[in-house]
Amino acid sequence: MHGYSRLGTGRSNATPSSSPPSSPRFRHGRGKNGGGRATKQRMVERLVFMLVSAVFRRKGVLLFAPLLYISGMLLYMGSLGFDVVSLKNTVGVVVHKRTPPGSVYRSPQVFENLWPFMEAENNGRANTLMMAWNSSVHQGWKPCVDKIISKTELPKSSGFLIIEANGGLNQQRLSICDAVAVAGLLNATLFIPIFHLNSVWRDSSKFGDIFDEDFFINALKSRVDVVKELPEEIRQRFDNNISNIVNLRVKAWSSPSHYLQKVLPKLVQMGAARIAPFSNRLAQAVPANVQKLRCLANYEALRFSEPIRMLAENMVDRMVKNSSQSGGKYVSVHLRFEEDMVAFSCCEYDGGEEEKREMDIARERSWRGKFRRRGRVIRPGVNRVDGKCPLTPLEVGMMLRGMGFDNTTSVFVAAGKIYKAEKYMAPLKQMFPRLETKDTLATPEELAPFKGHSSRLAALDYTVCLHSEVFVTTQGGNFPHFLMGHRRYLYGGHAKTIKPDKRKLALLFDNPNIRWEDFRMQMRDMLRHSDHKGVEMKKPGGSLYTFPMPDCMCKQAELRNENSNTTGLV
């Protein structure tokens, strides 16, 4: 409805509702007041001009650059975006906040749109699995750590080093390898690492339940001494109680010099020293000889215990047999969509108020009060745009189908208990009928000894994923990081891993009307990018557990000496 005009209509037949002409007296009055307002307006304009001028001077730019940057990011993220909607037959407008692109979970609508096109390609004739990786990318890297660490008689031990590994399977693995490196640095005798009973993982397994103790000790022989038991003299000195041994508090990422200057003297003095906890207690950057010990421990000395190894090998064999149509090749997916992961991410899906209530309960149960602290702001939309939300099984399936993996592909899913599995796993099974998990590959009788031991179950998942043609990581963490490094170590330096761009996926999955051709093109570009990044060298400050080249691997070249008939390592 139009507002009243403050000017005359200029028509002789004006209706009573039209505004009458204003008198000269009132016009003069308004002109006078208006002149005052005009003066004030000019002053404001001049002030704004001066402010803008200051901003664009060198010092002003430096002063206001952070503010301008933050404002720009807020505008880009859509935090300040609003839609203004005029409503007919009402006075005023309604302002709706506009959601930033990619901030809402619309993947089910996208799937409904794309599913007919996926069905049309269910022929198995051009499965990407058969040609997922470009062989020209492989650069001929080979493991060589066993050859470049000399085997010599060890000098007299400085004392016994006892460490306590905490966390899940791969956090324990990291602690073990770092402990080997520290023992080598200090010329200490390493006591078989003790596993701390973690309140989250709740696994009472000991070292020998998960790893092969004898193999570990033998593989490190002549480099680091490892013992299963402390000598009688040491035990008596501390009243047969390891907890009586002094615990040396070491800060995270401590340097080798710290161990040599602070830990070694006490180790020599007392004959034994304990470091608990021992998670991330050694810096990434260490001397080459210490780094080689990490390589040797992780890639050569640590292998799973016989019960784990036997069942895991059987599971791999079954996956290969199930994949006969694709030459024994299969895809493995590390799916992080357990209830605690969804709760911790603070992301929203399509469960409405029930989902919000369940996530609030889960957060309070596992992280008491952490998410209710004063000043803590949970922004699910921002998390999704930033690629921090766990991919749903549906999203993983759509991504793989877009990359060209058809419904004949065998897929192994490594995961814990999926949140609302019946609902969220159904579309993934619809896209990939040959879907397996450890619970379907192994019988209940085979899994019985492992139930209640999360690290042992994770070891089964780890092994099946290690031997897949394609590994898909969806959320980060120690499991995929160690696995990518291990796969590089085994497969000539190439991780053979799909690491999706989750920010790009968030935008694509927010468009229910996206064309199949466009979606497929984006997914295949993502696959090519993963192929290109498969062979990647460790950067300064990087981890050799993810990037074993060049610390743990060497590039092969034929020796010029034809008579040697051997391969040289350079």
Side-chain angles (χ1 to χ4, degrees):
M1 184 175 181
H2 298 292
Y4 289 109
S5 173
R6 297 172 62 182
L7 302 175
T9 61
R11 287 180 289 178
S12 59
N13 56 345
T15 63
S17 61
S18 300
S19 299
S22 55
S23 70
R25 182 172 63 86
F26 286 120
R27 284 202 301 270
H28 176 73
R30 283 199 298 269
K32 184 176 180 180
N33 292 338
R37 284 196 297 270
T39 303
K40 291 181 181 179
Q41 184 176 355
R42 284 195 298 271
M43 291 177 63
V44 171
E45 289 174 351
R46 186 174 300 175
L47 181 61
V48 171
F49 176 77
M50 292 173 61
L51 179 62
V52 172
S53 298
V55 168
F56 283 97
R57 292 192 187 110
R58 177 176 295 182
K59 292 183 180 179
V61 169
L62 294 176
L63 180 64
F64 288 96
L67 181 60
L68 292 172
Y69 175 78
I70 293 171
S71 301
M73 287 301 296
L74 288 172
L75 287 169
Y76 174 76
M77 294 292 289
S79 300
L80 302 179
F82 295 91
D83 287 327
V84 181
V85 181
S86 297
L87 298 181
K88 294 182 178 180
N89 302 322
T90 61
V91 177
V93 296
V94 175
V95 180
H96 294 296
K97 193 172 186 301
R98 186 171 65 245
T99 58
S103 63
V104 179
Y105 179 69
R106 294 192 176 96
S107 298
Q109 294 93 309
V110 176
F111 177 61
E112 185 179 358
N113 172 40
L114 298 183
W115 173 241
F117 301 97
M118 296 180 191
E119 279 193 301
E121 294 189 357
N122 286 339
N123 50 40
R125 294 175 185 172
N127 193 344
T128 296
L129 185 58
M130 304 304 294
M131 48 184 178
W133 311 117
N134 183 358
S135 59
S136 64
V137 176
H138 298 194
Q139 300 182 21
W141 290 87
K142 297 292 181 183
C144 61
V145 64
D146 194 49
K147 297 180 177 63
I148 56 181
I149 299 182
S150 59
K151 295 181 180 181
T152 59
E153 185 175 345
L154 294 172
K156 183 180 177 182
S157 173
S158 304
F160 292 88
L161 178 66
I162 298 102
I163 68 101
E164 190 173 288
N166 57 339
L169 172 68
N170 291 288
Q171 187 68 33
Q172 292 170 338
R173 190 181 191 107
L174 184 150
S175 298
I176 294 166
C177 299
D178 282 359
V180 170
V182 169
L185 174 70
L186 303 179
N187 189 37
T189 300
L190 180 64
F191 181 68
I192 282 287
I194 301 168
F195 285 178
H196 172 69
L197 181 60
N198 188 278
S199 59
V200 176
W201 293 93
R202 302 183 184 91
D203 189 339
S204 59
S205 298
K206 295 180 172 56
F207 186 99
D209 296 321
I210 299 174
F211 299 106
D212 188 328
E213 280 186 343
D214 293 331
F215 185 86
F216 180 72
I217 293 171
N218 188 62
L220 295 173
K221 189 170 61 175
S222 300
R223 280 97 168 200
V224 174
D225 271 338
V226 184
V227 296
K228 294 182 181 180
E229 293 185 2
L230 296 173
E232 181 67 22
E233 175 192 354
I234 297 295
R235 294 203 305 270
Q236 289 182 356
R237 187 182 304 175
F238 296 98
D239 297 329
N240 292 306
N241 188 346
I242 287 180
S243 61
N244 289 336
I245 298 175
V246 175
N247 184 15
L248 304 178
R249 294 290 180 178
V250 176
K251 293 182 179 180
W253 311 113
S254 291
S255 65
S257 60
H258 174 84
Y259 282 96
L260 292 171
Q261 296 168 11
K262 301 295 184 181
V263 176
L264 182 58
K266 294 182 179 179
L267 179 66
V268 173
Q269 177 188 351
M270 297 182 294
R274 183 165 60 96
I275 304 177
F278 193 76
S279 175
N280 298 317
R281 289 302 185 267
L282 180 61
Q284 296 284 8
V286 297
N289 62 321
V290 178
Q291 203 76 295
K292 302 300 181 187
L293 289 174
R294 275 173 160 165
C295 297
L296 183 64
N298 186 53
Y299 296 114
E300 298 292 344
L302 279 178
R303 78 174 185 184
F304 293 125
S305 62
E306 186 175 2
I308 293 175
R309 209 165 59 249
M310 289 180 63
L311 178 55
E313 289 173 358
N314 287 337
M315 292 167 66
V316 171
D317 288 342
R318 291 164 192 171
M319 279 302 301
V320 171
K321 290 178 181 177
N322 292 348
S323 311
S324 57
Q325 191 168 340
S326 54
K329 299 178 179 181
Y330 61 92
V331 174
S332 62
V333 178
H334 183 224
L335 187 59
R336 294 309 313 272
F337 203 69
E338 301 91 347
E339 183 179 66
D340 62 337
M341 179 56 66
V342 176
F344 186 80
S345 72
C346 296
C347 295
E348 292 180 356
Y349 294 89
D350 57 350
E353 291 301 320
E354 180 183 357
E355 176 190 305
K356 291 180 182 179
R357 184 172 59 255
E358 291 173 346
M359 293 301 102
D360 286 340
I361 293 172
R363 281 190 283 267
E364 188 62 24
R365 182 175 60 244
S366 299
W367 302 278
R368 299 183 184 279
K370 177 176 180 177
F371 294 90
R372 293 186 292 103
R373 291 175 185 167
R374 184 187 298 269
R376 180 70 183 256
V377 179
I378 296 177
R379 302 183 68 187
V382 173
N383 291 345
R384 183 169 298 281
V385 171
D386 204 28
K388 294 180 180 179
C389 291
L391 293 179
T392 63
L394 168 63
E395 291 171 327
V396 173
M398 285 196 291
M399 177 185 73
L400 289 175
R401 290 303 296 266
M403 289 177 175
F405 298 93
D406 64 22
N407 68 336
T408 66
T409 305
S410 293
V411 176
F412 176 79
V413 172
K417 185 178 179 182
I418 299 297
Y419 174 60
K420 293 196 173 181
E422 186 175 351
K423 169 187 175 180
Y424 284 107
M425 288 296 288
L428 180 59
K429 293 178 181 177
Q430 182 179 342
M431 287 180 275
F432 294 98
R434 300 181 180 185
L435 185 74
E436 303 283 359
T437 66
K438 55 181 169 287
D439 294 308
T440 60
L441 273 182
T443 66
E445 293 74 22
E446 288 175 321
L447 289 174
F450 303 92
K451 291 294 185 182
H453 300 284
S454 58
S455 292
R456 301 186 209 181
L457 291 170
L460 297 176
D461 280 341
Y462 186 98
T463 305
V464 181
C465 290
L466 181 64
H467 295 285
S468 64
E469 175 65 13
V470 175
F471 171 61
V472 182
T473 174
T474 63
Q475 188 61 18
N478 283 322
F479 186 98
H481 289 162
F482 270 82
L483 200 52
M484 287 172 67
H486 208 155
R487 288 171 66 85
R488 285 189 170 107
Y489 192 77
L490 291 182
Y491 302 130
H494 198 296
K496 293 188 173 185
T497 298
I498 295 173
K499 191 175 180 181
D501 183 341
K502 292 171 65 179
R503 292 180 179 179
K504 180 181 285 187
L505 286 178
L507 294 173
L508 295 173
F509 289 145
D510 193 23
N511 181 8
N513 299 317
I514 189 170
R515 297 171 64 249
W516 171 244
E517 292 77 10
D518 296 336
F519 179 78
R520 185 172 56 181
M521 180 184 67
Q522 294 281 354
M523 293 302 98
R524 299 201 175 187
D525 283 346
M526 203 173 289
L527 175 60
R528 280 191 291 271
H529 181 73
S530 291
D531 189 16
H532 177 71
K533 300 290 285 184
V535 178
E536 195 171 357
M537 305 286 285
K538 182 172 74 67
K539 298 175 182 177
S543 169
L544 62 77
Y545 302 120
T546 305
F547 305 100
M549 298 101 71
D551 296 303
C552 312
M553 303 180 74
C554 304
K555 203 172 181 182
Q556 283 194 330
E558 292 295 324
L559 287 176
R560 296 181 180 179
N561 186 355
E562 297 179 0
N563 295 329
S564 65
N565 195 28
T566 59
T567 300
L569 295 168
V570 294

